[in-house]
Amino acid sequence: MKILAIETSCDETAVSILECSGDAHMPSCAVLGTGLYSQASKHAEFGGVFPNLAKREHQLNLTSMLKIALKESGLSTKHQAPDSKQIQNFQTMQEILEREETLFKNLQEYLSKNPNNPGFDAIAVTQGPGLEPALWVGINFAKALSFFWNIPLVPVNHMEGHILSVLSDRKENSNDQITNNKIAFPAIALLVSGGHTELDLVHDWGTYELIGQTRDDAVGEAFDKVARLLGLPYPGGPEISRLAAEARNPKSEIRNTIHLPRPMIDSNDFDFSFAGLKTAVLYAVKKLGSLSDEQKKEIACEFENAAVEVLVSKTKKALEHYNAPTLIIGGGVVANTHLREEMKKMLAQEFPDVTLLLPTHELSTDNAVMIGIAGYIAYTKNPNEYGVFSPEHGDLRAHGTLRLSS
Ligand code: KG4
Ligand code: ZN
């Protein structure tokens, strides 16, 4: 079945079109087309994501991303005038998008020339967690299209999307294992993003049990805050990672004089804490005064070492405790090469039989492909649960703090 997937939980405006088949346990999804616009450079001057700017940018760009995804997928329909019912439906669509005037204008302009459903069987959209003003734009866009094209609407949890990002068949040139083969459950899922750091026990797709989480900052947030302390631009994760790699280069003369804590590394649970690590960097920076490029690299490297050591150690503990045959890592921070390498090293030494599932680099950060996969699985499991959106009975709301486990 063909899924139109929409993701607007943070600062990526993403639309993807997927062709999925197979049952909910062994889904297979091909990506037919993607339109993805990163707002990161717009938010950079604020040093982080500014919710109202994110909302405005999603409104401006969603229709263009839909057009790009349709073009890439070859699903664009021939230009045609809407019939009288479709013209009438524009009015309801305007009500659905009453708070998104710009979006309504762009979408109506597109649908006036291309009114018919290009072949979608369902629409998947991120319901949460994320920034509510940003989430609402995607949700209302999805509601409008569900209504206009008369196809079911499937709300998706963004964090479940990150877990399922490992199932895409969109491969890249890396040795990372991407598979659609049957997965042995239970799996341990380590989710590391800008808003979340948690360990979940995955009993099956759709059935998750939270076993540990951060008590303060998320690890991606810590990367971003430390980057800011070092005067690096937002988003900080890739910047820290780049400096750390330079410091780790055997030819580098950078010495190891700064030592940062590994918070909660020995605690008897699966929880994390990264606020203290960030504060330790703040003290180190204050003590040093103005930083040389060498000192920045040294701090970035020691910070990355500390964060990754904690993540690897807690994941190891969880694999041991639950005797899990599969490890999944998802979320923006899994784009971090050092984390990937250290996790693989730990598995090779301690759990050579555990299967590691990682998303491609492209699908590590926010995207709509993962939302489409999650939508397909949810729909396949319970098709009767999802209907076409109508303003009379629809009550789908954005949920900024939506949780994964019930
Ligand atoms: O999943 P994601 O795209 O958005 C959220 O759902 O939060 O994750 C974004 C986070 C940001 O904090 C960003 O700095 C971090 O992922 N990130 C990285 C890297 N690339 C992105 N952190 C460390 N190393 C990276 N290479
Ligand atoms: Zn995310």
Side-chain angles (χ1 to χ4, degrees):
M1 69 187 274
K2 285 193 179 59
I3 311 255
L4 171 66
I6 297 155
E7 153 67 37
T8 64
S9 69
C10 193
D11 60 350
E12 321 281 347
T13 310
V15 175
S16 282
I17 298 169
L18 283 76
E19 172 83 63
C20 295
S21 58
D23 67 23
H25 299 284
M26 249 211 284
S28 173
C29 290
V31 183
L32 304 183
T34 283
L36 187 135
Y37 167 69
S38 173
Q39 307 169 2
S41 63
K42 304 248 161 161
H43 295 278
E45 63 180 293
F46 301 100
V49 182
F50 191 61
N52 279 333
L53 176 62
K55 178 185 159 140
R56 200 161 64 226
E57 288 291 314
H58 288 314
Q59 275 208 59
L60 274 175
N61 296 301
L62 261 175
T63 308
S64 314
M65 293 307 111
L66 171 66
K67 284 194 223 167
I68 292 172
L70 278 167
K71 193 160 180 215
E72 193 185 324
S73 68
L75 284 177
S76 306
T77 48
K78 272 205 211 106
H79 281 195
Q80 194 179 329
D83 60 27
S84 57
K85 179 147 186 278
Q86 285 166 328
I87 290 172
Q88 216 179 353
N89 283 344
F90 281 141
Q91 210 167 347
T92 312
M93 222 179 74
Q94 185 164 23
E95 283 161 28
I96 298 170
L97 292 172
E98 73 175 314
R99 302 221 189 114
E100 287 87 14
E101 234 176 280
T102 319
L103 179 56
F104 171 70
K105 223 178 99 243
N106 293 344
L107 185 58
Q108 188 190 29
E109 194 186 321
Y110 173 73
L111 291 174
S112 300
K113 295 190 193 112
N114 308 269
N116 295 334
N117 176 3
F120 299 125
D121 299 292
I123 301 181
V125 65
T126 306
Q127 182 184 13
L131 304 168
E132 287 197 359
L135 288 163
W136 271 117
V137 184
I139 290 174
N140 287 336
F141 184 66
K143 282 178 176 176
L145 286 173
S146 164
F147 168 78
F148 197 80
W149 284 334
N150 199 35
I151 41 176
L153 179 62
V154 186
V156 167
N157 181 307
H158 179 84
M159 300 316 289
E160 179 171 21
H162 276 304
I163 291 180
L164 292 163
S165 66
V166 300
L167 287 183
S168 162
D169 72 350
R170 190 172 256 214
K171 296 187 178 72
E172 61 183 347
N173 295 330
S174 81
N175 294 322
D176 295 332
Q177 192 180 348
I178 306 290
T179 176
N180 288 325
N181 294 337
K182 197 159 172 55
I183 280 148
F185 292 111
I188 294 291
L190 171 68
L191 297 180
V192 279
S193 73
H196 289 78
T197 301
E198 64 184 59
L199 278 162
D200 292 284
L201 190 60
V202 183
H203 295 283
D204 189 1
W205 301 137
T207 315
Y208 310 99
E209 184 184 336
L210 182 70
I211 59 171
Q213 62 186 324
T214 183
R215 297 188 181 176
D216 39 59
D217 290 355
V219 64
E221 189 181 352
F223 269 89
D224 294 337
K225 286 179 175 168
V226 166
R228 204 161 359 154
L229 290 173
L230 299 182
L232 304 169
Y234 170 85
E239 293 292 321
I240 297 266
S241 180
R242 188 174 55 78
L243 292 196
E246 285 179 31
R248 238 174 250 125
N249 184 331
K251 287 192 197 130
S252 147
E253 311 247 299
I254 294 166
R255 287 176 309 137
N256 233 335
T257 55
I258 293 163
H259 295 284
L260 296 171
R262 271 67 175 154
M264 295 186 70
I265 198 160
D266 293 318
S267 72
N268 214 2
D269 52 33
F270 304 111
D271 284 349
F272 303 91
S273 163
F274 292 101
L277 180 54
K278 171 205 66 194
T279 310
V281 174
L282 174 69
Y283 288 144
V285 168
K286 274 196 176 153
K287 204 167 141 198
L288 290 167
S290 72
L291 297 175
S292 67
D293 285 350
E294 261 48 45
Q295 284 169 324
K296 286 185 185 177
K297 286 179 193 168
E298 186 184 342
I299 295 172
C301 183
E302 171 63 1
F303 166 75
E304 190 177 72
N305 283 341
V308 167
E309 265 177 48
V310 176
L311 293 172
V312 170
S313 160
K314 290 285 165 132
T315 305
K316 180 177 152 199
K317 197 178 274 184
L319 285 169
E320 229 158 45
H321 185 87
Y322 291 98
N323 201 14
T326 306
L327 172 62
I328 290 168
I329 314 178
V333 183
V334 75
N336 185 282
T337 310
H338 187 58
L339 172 63
R340 287 177 176 238
E341 282 173 358
E342 290 303 300
M343 205 60 93
K344 283 177 188 168
K345 235 187 263 172
M346 180 274 286
L347 288 180
Q349 277 166 13
E350 309 279 339
F351 307 97
D353 295 331
V354 165
T355 304
L356 173 64
L357 301 177
L358 297 170
T360 58
H361 274 280
E362 189 183 22
L363 295 187
S364 298
T365 45
D366 289 348
N367 63 84
V369 172
M370 65 185 196
I371 303 306
I373 300 172
Y376 174 72
I377 291 178
Y379 185 79
T380 313
K381 275 190 158 180
N382 290 307
N384 297 329
E385 208 174 288
Y386 305 100
V388 173
F389 176 78
S390 83
E392 292 85 48
H393 335 106
D395 64 349
L396 175 61
R397 302 183 64 77
H399 193 328
T401 56
L402 187 65
R403 304 202 61 107
L404 200 51
S405 38
S406 41

